[in-house]
Amino acid sequence: MPAVASDLPEKPVEWHISAGRATYSQDRDLYIAKEDVVITGGNTRLEADHLEFNNTSKQALAKGNVLLISGDDTISCQTMDINLVSKTGTIYNGTLFIEESHFYIKGDRIEKTGKDTYTADKASITSCSGPVPDWKISGKDIKVTLEGYGTLKHATLWAKKAPVMYAPYLAFPVKTQRETGFLTPVLTHSSRKGFEYEQPLFLALSRSTDATIYMDYMEKRGIKTGLEYRYILSEHSRGTLLYDFLHDRQTGDKDPDNKDYNYDATPDRTNSDRYWFRMKHDQIFPDHWSLKLDLDYVSDADYLREFDDGPSGFDNVAACFEDSFGRGLDDDYETIRENRLNLSRIWSDYSLNIEMNWQDNVTARQNHTDDTTLKSLPSILFSKLKQKSATLPLYYNFDSELNYFYRKDTTQSLVRGSRADLYPRVHFPVKFSRFLSIEPSLGLRETLWLTDDYERLSRKEDSFHHRELYDFELELSTELSRVFNTFNWFADRIKHDMQPFIRYNYIPDTDQDDLPGFDTLDTIERENIISWELVNRFTSRKKVFNKRSDEIEDVYREFARIKLSQAFDINREKDDMRHPFSDIFLESELTLNRFIVLEENVKWSPYDNCFTANETGVLLNTPMGNMTTSYRYIKDTSESFYISLVRMLTPEITAHAAVEKDFYKNELIESSAGITLRKQCWSLSMGIKNEPDDTSFAFMIELHGIGGFGSL
């Protein structure tokens, strides 16, 4: 039986009623329906045991097992008196369920005051399912706006049936989209900072911009304020900038308990005003031009390591930059920070990069000493990719760069200057049948310098310098392969590719004593080296049933790569120098399946018959947890071990632990452990981290749907 709404100012909504029994009063334009009643119109569906619907006013009175579905949200109750057009009315003994955030609001009498607004004298809120939820918050004078906030007075937090916390007033988010409001606060305690409370405030400024304001209270250090601003200009043009400021109560490198935590190679801090500005920006221009901007300016050399955790700390910011822009930050221990502006254009065969590079020496600035760091303002790099000549049986490529270098201070007389470097190269590849390839190549390099106030040793001062240099390379290679039939659980077939290489590199000995010295390109060492390399690759093929296509397909996967290499220095042999042979270098990676990955990189000395370097990594990833280990060793320099374990103890409980130790210095770098309990509607995480100069404890209680407090 259709009931048409014909007098609405907007598009009319046609309401359809189905029921086991129904009557219609023409005088009152009233439908009365019973037994499995369903009324639908637009995106609204109302179910009940009994329904009285006035077709003129669109007022509906539903009784018995009432269920109203509007969009993704539902209301279930015993009785509902509602206007289906204005979406206002009264819900008796009912529950409002918000699907996307899995959020319930329950009350004896709930007033629906608008399409997305509700009020109640007494009610409770929770994100837990079931008649007795794990947690709920009850209160009085409740007001809720979907995609906005809810408020209630005299709020009581219940764990099951036990009250555990009271607040005279509480505000909570009821939203599924980004909107201005407070984010989850961070609470920690550490020996260096004392009790710490950090409260972020998110600001949804527009559809393409937002910001977060941070207020970080540290019991021993003061209040650190911060701002993060994010903007999107187009699909591929965006930026993020952050700024922190702290007036530190503590100066020097001692805490109030006289515990020394001075970092190696950094000066004793005397400043109280501490700050850090960092920014990334990507911009795409018409005609395939692109711009990248990186800024990193910090007040002192210890700031980044002292404030490395939390939402605005170094670790989180570096990871976010890496995810959003594909490039992170210099390591937190680096006291020379890179600031860079790059404008580039890529063609099919050419590329152009124009870059301004400013290396900020934090230590020199902090101590007011000479800053001898080299800046490049600007550098222009133009390259032509390797391609075949149209008339000759050869290939060629071309690299060039133009630099202007600058030092603010220097202990030498070289302060600033320009350098142009032109480097064309030709290749003559020859292939003998399918077994042997030979490729000789010749490079010609012309380098020009123009410097100010330059004088090297006792030579006559001259502002113009030049260098002509050539280099020669010869490469012999082949490729052998064989396919093995296996027919087991691992693979049906395994292909082994073996690629041996022999290379000869030659650069003549050239007098470069009178040349300026800006970077490594200014002094190119002679070279007369023969090297060999053997690369082995193993690829598996396995037949797998594809459920989507309902067909059996061949799946190929490179599961192992092993590379061996060594070099022989002819010049060292001619000069009767020791050890003309280099260490033997082994690089290997083995991926047995999606659970086990092994990496091994070692160097072996043929003279000392021992390992001079070793880096071993193991990754075990299973449905019940994962393990990551890393061992690094450099002879007479360093030796460290790192292990991280994550284990699912039960479907709800996960434990994690990590240890990193420096065996060379015989000290613990860092150790941490924690446990996480995840329930359907809440979670609890606790952890402790121990460093040589700081011990911190952190926890996070998350009530799904309204947020939480603590720190991850």
Side-chain angles (χ1 to χ4, degrees):
M1 294 177 294
V4 180
S6 57
D7 298 327
L8 298 177
E10 298 179 355
K11 289 184 178 180
V13 176
E14 184 174 312
W15 297 94
H16 296 269
I17 301 175
S18 65
R21 292 182 298 148
T23 61
Y24 174 68
S25 173
Q26 187 172 4
D27 295 339
R28 294 186 296 170
D29 197 11
L30 179 68
Y31 291 88
I32 300 176
K34 299 179 181 180
E35 298 179 7
D36 300 323
V37 182
V38 177
I39 178 171
T40 59
N43 66 346
T44 300
R45 176 185 175 93
L46 176 61
E47 302 175 5
D49 295 335
H50 176 92
L51 174 69
E52 297 179 11
F53 177 68
N54 188 298
N55 189 44
T56 303
S57 64
K58 305 304 178 291
Q59 191 73 23
L61 174 63
K63 298 179 181 180
N65 300 310
V66 180
L67 179 65
L68 174 66
I69 303 173
S70 180
D72 294 330
D73 303 326
T74 62
I75 298 174
S76 59
C77 60
Q78 287 302 311
T79 304
M80 177 186 295
D81 189 358
I82 189 171
N83 187 286
L84 295 178
V85 175
S86 64
K87 303 292 180 68
T88 60
T90 305
I91 303 157
Y92 299 92
N93 192 18
T95 300
L96 165 65
F97 177 61
I98 304 170
E99 172 69 28
E100 190 164 348
S101 59
H102 202 272
F103 197 71
Y104 297 89
I105 302 174
K106 300 181 180 180
D108 295 337
R109 178 187 170 96
I110 302 175
E111 296 286 341
K112 195 174 189 302
T113 57
K115 180 182 178 181
D116 297 316
T117 57
Y118 300 83
T119 64
D121 292 334
K122 295 180 181 180
S124 66
I125 59 174
T126 184
S127 58
C128 304
S129 303
V132 183
D134 287 352
W135 70 266
K136 68 177 181 179
I137 297 176
S138 63
K140 298 180 179 180
D141 193 15
I142 297 179
K143 298 178 181 179
V144 174
T145 301
L146 302 186
E147 294 303 334
Y149 283 91
T151 62
L152 70 162
K153 298 177 181 178
H154 301 293
T156 302
L157 173 63
W158 298 74
K160 293 288 187 179
K161 296 183 179 181
V164 295
M165 189 178 298
Y166 168 82
Y169 181 83
L170 178 68
F172 56 94
V174 189
K175 57 184 79 177
T176 58
Q177 301 177 4
R178 58 192 288 273
E179 190 170 317
T180 296
F182 289 104
L183 302 179
T184 300
V186 176
L187 285 83
T188 56
H189 186 277
S190 67
S191 57
R192 177 179 296 175
K193 304 171 189 174
F195 172 76
E196 182 178 5
Y197 177 89
E198 184 170 3
Q199 177 62 67
L201 171 63
F202 177 79
L203 304 175
L205 303 176
S206 69
R207 294 182 61 185
S208 58
T209 62
D210 59 53
T212 304
I213 298 174
Y214 299 94
M215 188 69 68
D216 186 2
Y217 167 78
M218 294 172 285
E219 179 185 13
K220 295 183 179 180
R221 313 304 290 272
I223 298 177
K224 179 162 69 77
T225 57
L227 171 68
E228 179 178 1
Y229 177 70
R230 296 165 293 269
Y231 55 91
I232 298 176
L233 303 178
S234 64
E235 182 180 359
H236 301 291
S237 300
R238 64 187 62 213
T240 301
L241 64 90
L242 299 97
Y243 178 75
D244 301 337
F245 178 81
L246 167 68
H247 184 75
D248 204 333
R249 295 173 183 168
Q250 180 181 311
T251 58
D253 292 321
K254 302 260 184 204
D255 68 10
D257 298 324
N258 293 323
K259 182 177 180 181
D260 185 9
Y261 58 85
N262 185 29
Y263 298 107
D264 295 338
T266 61
D268 188 57
R269 184 174 59 83
T270 59
N271 57 299
S272 295
D273 290 341
R274 310 182 71 184
Y275 51 85
W276 182 29
F277 178 83
R278 57 274 196 210
M279 179 180 181
K280 299 284 185 186
H281 175 83
D282 285 354
Q283 180 77 45
I284 301 297
F285 296 105
D287 202 23
H288 305 290
W289 286 91
S290 63
L291 180 141
K292 298 181 185 297
L293 174 65
D294 300 322
L295 298 177
D296 187 351
Y297 193 79
V298 68
S299 60
D300 55 82
D302 296 339
Y303 185 94
L304 302 183
R305 281 183 286 182
E306 285 195 66
F307 306 106
D308 59 349
D309 52 7
S312 59
F314 177 86
D315 293 340
N316 186 61
V317 172
C320 290
F321 277 166
E322 189 68 45
D323 291 341
S324 300
F325 300 94
R327 56 192 190 278
L329 294 165
D330 293 329
D331 291 332
D332 56 359
Y333 57 80
E334 292 287 350
T335 59
I336 298 178
R337 318 294 298 176
E338 182 180 49
N339 295 266
R340 183 175 69 104
L341 176 65
N342 178 273
L343 180 65
S344 63
R345 169 74 156 87
I346 298 177
W347 295 266
S348 58
D349 298 326
Y350 302 93
S351 66
L352 173 66
N353 281 273
I354 304 171
E355 185 166 296
M356 308 281 284
N357 195 302
W358 181 274
Q359 301 288 339
D360 179 39
N361 191 325
V362 181
T363 302
R365 176 164 47 80
Q366 182 180 351
N367 282 357
H368 305 287
T369 57
D370 288 346
D371 182 3
T372 61
T373 309
L374 186 68
K375 284 82 173 173
S376 180
L377 304 168
S379 63
I380 302 174
L381 292 84
F382 179 77
S383 299
K384 180 176 177 57
L385 302 180
K386 182 179 177 181
Q387 67 177 45
K388 192 177 186 303
S389 170
T391 56
L392 299 174
L394 55 82
Y395 290 79
Y396 64 95
N397 65 284
F398 177 75
D399 294 317
S400 64
E401 65 176 80
L402 175 64
N403 288 278
Y404 177 77
F405 296 106
Y406 169 77
R407 283 188 178 95
K408 182 179 179 182
D409 306 294
T410 181
T411 55
Q412 305 174 0
S413 57
L414 183 57
V415 177
R416 59 183 61 85
S418 302
R419 184 187 67 201
D421 184 68
L422 308 176
Y423 187 31
R425 189 173 197 87
V426 292
H427 308 257
F428 305 89
V430 179
K431 193 173 183 67
F432 295 94
S433 70
R434 63 185 182 90
F435 294 106
L436 180 63
S437 297
I438 300 177
E439 183 174 322
S441 63
L442 178 66
L444 303 174
R445 169 165 262 143
E446 176 70 35
T447 312
L448 309 171
W449 291 266
L450 185 62
T451 61
D452 297 340
D453 302 327
Y454 170 70
E455 185 177 357
R456 176 67 63 89
L457 301 177
S458 60
R459 304 297 180 97
K460 182 178 179 181
E461 181 178 340
D462 190 356
S463 61
F464 176 75
H465 304 268
H466 63 92
R467 178 188 63 196
E468 292 74 33
L469 195 63
Y470 74 91
D471 65 87
F472 175 75
E473 179 178 307
L474 177 65
E475 179 179 281
L476 288 78
S477 64
T478 186
E479 183 172 353
L480 307 172
S481 64
R482 183 176 177 181
V483 177
F484 301 89
N485 295 319
T486 56
F487 301 107
N488 54 36
W489 64 271
F490 182 74
D492 303 317
R493 290 186 177 184
I494 294 178
K495 181 182 180 182
H496 176 204
D497 292 299
M498 185 169 62
Q499 296 175 294
F501 296 86
I502 298 177
R503 293 186 181 90
Y504 173 68
N505 296 89
Y506 177 76
I507 299 176
D509 188 9
T510 304
D511 183 10
Q512 302 174 69
D513 291 341
D514 290 337
L515 299 179
F518 292 111
D519 57 25
T520 56
L521 184 59
D522 296 313
T523 302
I524 298 178
E525 301 292 338
R526 64 173 184 164
E527 198 171 277
N528 195 8
I529 295 175
I530 297 177
S531 60
W532 63 269
E533 183 178 299
L534 178 62
V535 179
N536 291 272
R537 291 185 174 89
F538 297 86
T539 305
S540 65
R541 190 198 75 175
K542 187 174 180 63
K543 293 186 178 297
V544 177
F545 179 73
N546 190 323
K547 294 182 179 180
R548 293 184 177 179
S549 62
D550 199 27
E551 295 179 352
I552 296 178
E553 299 179 349
D554 291 330
V555 177
Y556 296 89
R557 181 172 63 90
E558 183 178 288
F559 66 90
R561 182 179 183 273
I562 304 171
K563 176 182 174 182
L564 278 167
S565 60
Q566 189 185 27
F568 175 74
D569 194 326
I570 300 175
N571 287 334
R572 294 182 68 89
E573 177 70 17
K574 287 183 178 180
D575 297 341
D576 294 328
M577 299 176 66
R578 296 182 59 199
H579 301 172
F581 282 98
S582 72
D583 292 346
I584 299 175
F585 189 27
L586 168 68
E587 299 176 76
S588 63
E589 181 176 340
L590 176 63
T591 306
L592 294 177
N593 49 42
R594 60 191 180 95
F595 304 117
I596 305 175
V597 179
L598 307 175
E599 292 185 359
E600 181 72 30
N601 299 322
V602 298
K603 289 185 178 181
W604 174 271
S605 171
Y607 302 101
D608 299 331
N609 292 323
C610 66
F611 291 111
T612 58
N614 184 9
E615 183 174 350
T616 304
V618 179
L619 173 62
L620 302 178
N621 192 5
T622 71
M624 295 300 295
N626 60 66
M627 179 185 73
T628 303
T629 64
S630 176
Y631 173 76
R632 293 183 176 90
Y633 166 77
I634 300 177
K635 184 181 178 183
D636 300 329
T637 302
S638 65
E639 183 179 12
S640 65
F641 177 75
Y642 172 81
I643 181 170
S644 171
L645 299 170
V646 178
R647 171 67 178 174
M648 185 182 294
L649 304 179
T650 71
E652 296 178 339
I653 302 176
T654 302
H656 64 87
V659 175
E660 185 174 7
K661 184 169 183 179
D662 188 333
F663 293 107
Y664 189 73
K665 296 181 180 179
N666 193 27
E667 66 179 20
L668 190 68
I669 299 174
E670 181 182 308
S671 63
S672 62
I675 192 167
T676 299
L677 172 62
R678 291 184 178 89
K679 304 290 284 187
Q680 178 262 329
C681 57
W682 62 276
S683 61
L684 169 65
S685 299
M686 295 184 295
I688 187 169
K689 182 169 69 173
N690 183 35
E691 299 173 285
D693 49 31
D694 193 21
T695 299
S696 60
F697 172 78
F699 74 96
M700 169 64 79
I701 299 176
E702 182 77 23
L703 303 179
H704 300 171
I706 68 170
F709 60 93
S711 70
L712 295 176

